[in-house]
Amino acid sequence: MSETLVITGAQLLGAERADIIVENGQISEIGTGLSRSGARVIDADGLVALPGLVDLHTHLREPGYEASETILTGTRAAAAGGFTAVFAMPNTSPVADTAGVVEQELALGEAAGYATVQPIGAVTVGQKGERLAELGAMATSRAQVRVFSDDGFCVFDPLIMRRALEYVKSFDGVIAQHAQDPRLTEGAQMNEGTVSAELGLAGWPAVAEESIIARDVLLAEHVGSRLHVCHLSTAGSVDIIRWAKKRGINVTAEVTPHHLLLSDELVRGYDARYKVNPPLRREEDVMAVREGLADGTIDIVATDHAPHPSEHKSCEWQAAANGMVGLESALRVVHQSMVQTGLIGWEDVARVMSAAPARIGRLSDHGLPLQAGAAAQITLYDPSAAGVFTESDLHGRSVNSPYLGRDLPGRVEFTIHRGLLTVDGGSVVEELNA
């Protein structure tokens, strides 16, 4: 059972100061001068209170790849970053393409207790792109799956993509597409552009992403279904999503923290921490995705947290795995790239990192406004803190972060999941009193 908490003087969404009382897993009261006999008091002076963060794109690796991450370690990392819910991508072994696997993931998340784990189901059997997976069975399972993706594999066959979009309409599901034309990116090692030409590395052209997005928004319009675009990364992709929304197409899109901050210039050092798919793009693309997030064209920030053992990154560039860990650093990077630059405020942060991802994923008890009666999913963040990001900031099994040694603002001081403190005074709670 969660303890009663009295949070005093928090800045709600960075604005007015208020006290928050948490009882029995819910916010029972918000006001000023509040108290409860026997409650634990948390002094939140100077802290921004946000609804618990929600990540729509997380790789937890379990079952099958526990050397990289487990659901326990991944959700500890999530809590450290202020997240109270994560959507687990299906690239596990076995692939999460059946009701049995997604129910296993759900149960492991419940047992860990650090964050809600909502499984994402594969679109096709084995993520092979050949035939549809058991979408209906996963939707009606105890996991109640509503998001389906082949993750690192594009659903390239337009007929299969159309059938998937048609199928999920019946239970209000959404297809989350990894937009990458496989023919245009064969052998690609980084973004195609000036830097790739100078380094002699095979390029991943922007059109390989943009052409798939263009096709899929038209398919979604034709079918009348929901489409979500994963890790959008180019200026042209922003333009296509903007056009599609003006046309009334039911499409949403995400951008990662690393695409908001880092550019392909970093590849010059051949440090494999910067190898990711889609690749880091030009500085012009970085500015475009920032603007797209600020004006609402891009709906959410999602981490694409992708842990790998050190041997998969401590090698030559061409042999290294794609991916970066990102849960612990996400809010701090958004603070630096979007809030400190004046592009968005804390209310917008709550929208793009909590409310909108919960809505897209149909996670009903997350992303709610901080108000009496809501589930106690709360992140308390110190925007005045700053420091160098180090391995001590990481709480998962892998350390492939592109931010190691970089100055980042802010610090998550407290994370509250269903009334339980999972982060207390900046430290992940070792044993939850569930």
Side-chain angles (χ1 to χ4, degrees):
M1 179 64 69
S2 60
E3 63 183 323
T4 299
L5 304 173
V6 178
I7 302 166
T8 62
Q11 292 179 279
L12 302 182
L13 306 184
E16 71 271 13
R17 287 164 52 91
D19 302 336
I20 305 170
I21 295 182
V22 173
E23 296 176 296
N24 301 317
Q26 288 190 317
I27 297 174
S28 62
E29 191 174 356
I30 294 181
T32 56
L34 302 181
S35 64
R36 282 289 189 277
S37 177
R40 174 174 170 187
V41 177
I42 294 176
D43 181 1
D45 183 36
L47 304 185
V48 173
L50 300 167
L53 306 184
V54 177
D55 187 18
L56 198 68
H57 192 147
T58 306
H59 301 268
L60 295 179
R61 304 303 194 204
E62 187 176 13
Y65 303 106
E66 289 84 358
S68 299
E69 195 76 284
T70 67
I71 287 175
L72 174 60
T73 62
T75 53
R76 283 173 58 88
F83 289 90
T84 57
V86 294
F87 283 73
M89 278 293 180
N91 61 332
T92 51
S93 182
V95 169
D97 56 5
T98 66
V101 178
V102 296
E103 288 182 343
Q104 177 189 3
E105 292 176 339
L106 182 74
L108 287 169
E110 291 170 340
Y114 284 92
T116 297
V117 174
Q118 178 57 47
I120 292 176
V123 176
T124 65
V125 175
Q127 298 174 286
K128 294 181 179 179
E130 297 170 352
R131 55 192 177 93
L132 290 182
E134 298 176 6
L135 308 184
M138 288 186 280
T140 57
S141 72
R142 197 171 76 84
Q144 295 287 292
V145 176
R146 290 297 178 270
V147 183
F148 299 87
S149 177
D150 270 357
D151 187 36
F153 299 97
C154 179
V155 182
F156 186 54
D157 187 318
L159 181 60
I160 289 178
M161 187 63 179
R162 173 184 174 168
R163 295 300 182 230
L165 288 165
E166 289 173 330
Y167 198 107
V168 299
K169 280 180 63 178
S170 63
F171 46 79
D172 192 29
V174 62
I175 302 298
Q177 175 71 294
H178 173 101
Q180 176 185 359
D181 187 312
R183 295 298 302 279
L184 291 175
T185 55
E186 288 181 6
Q189 291 293 319
M190 66 170 296
N191 178 58
E192 181 180 283
T194 302
V195 179
S196 67
E198 292 178 4
L199 298 180
L201 292 176
W204 200 122
V207 70
E209 174 175 301
E210 296 156 6
S211 59
I212 296 296
I213 295 174
R215 182 201 75 176
D216 287 351
V217 295
L218 293 174
L219 283 174
E221 179 183 44
H222 180 70
V223 172
S225 189
R226 288 202 296 144
L227 170 71
H228 179 73
V229 178
C230 295
H231 43 50
L232 178 152
S233 68
T234 77
S237 295
V238 176
D239 289 339
I240 295 167
I241 297 296
R242 188 175 287 123
W243 171 86
K245 288 189 170 185
K246 287 180 180 177
R247 192 175 168 95
I249 298 172
N250 196 354
V251 59
T252 54
E254 72 190 35
V255 64
T256 70
H258 48 272
H259 286 113
L260 289 170
L261 187 63
L262 310 176
S263 77
D264 62 356
E265 289 290 335
L266 290 165
V267 178
R268 292 185 184 278
Y270 295 103
D271 186 337
R273 289 183 301 136
Y274 301 119
K275 188 176 182 183
V276 66
N277 186 17
L280 300 180
R281 301 293 191 180
R282 306 167 304 158
E283 188 65 25
E284 298 96 307
D285 294 303
V286 174
M287 294 300 107
V289 295
R290 286 186 185 183
E291 292 172 8
L293 184 64
D295 69 20
T297 300
I298 299 173
D299 299 84
I300 67 170
V301 174
T303 71
D304 194 10
H305 175 80
H308 291 290
S310 59
E311 61 268 24
H312 292 178
K313 282 291 192 177
S314 300
C315 56
E316 65 180 18
W317 179 272
Q318 286 88 341
N322 286 304
M324 305 166 169
V325 294
L327 286 166
E328 298 97 333
S329 52
L331 182 54
R332 297 173 70 180
V333 172
V334 171
H335 181 188
Q336 184 175 79
S337 62
M338 298 299 296
V339 179
Q340 287 188 334
T341 56
L343 289 169
I344 65 174
W346 291 111
E347 184 175 358
D348 300 305
V349 173
R351 171 175 53 83
V352 301
M353 297 190 75
S354 182
R359 173 181 53 80
I360 293 167
R362 300 301 192 251
L363 202 58
S364 61
D365 62 343
H366 287 266
L368 302 173
L370 296 174
Q371 60 187 22
Q377 318 280 10
I378 304 170
T379 301
L380 297 174
Y381 180 75
D382 184 359
S384 66
V388 176
F389 195 81
T390 69
E391 287 190 15
S392 66
D393 293 299
L394 299 173
H395 297 272
R397 284 196 168 177
S398 300
V399 296
N400 53 304
S401 168
Y403 307 110
L404 295 176
R406 180 183 286 263
D407 288 324
L408 291 178
R411 170 182 163 99
V412 173
E413 290 290 345
F414 298 90
T415 305
I416 301 170
H417 172 49
R418 293 176 176 163
L420 280 174
L421 280 165
T422 56
V423 173
D424 189 346
S427 298
V428 176
V429 176
E430 289 300 321
E431 292 188 15
L432 299 180
N433 298 315

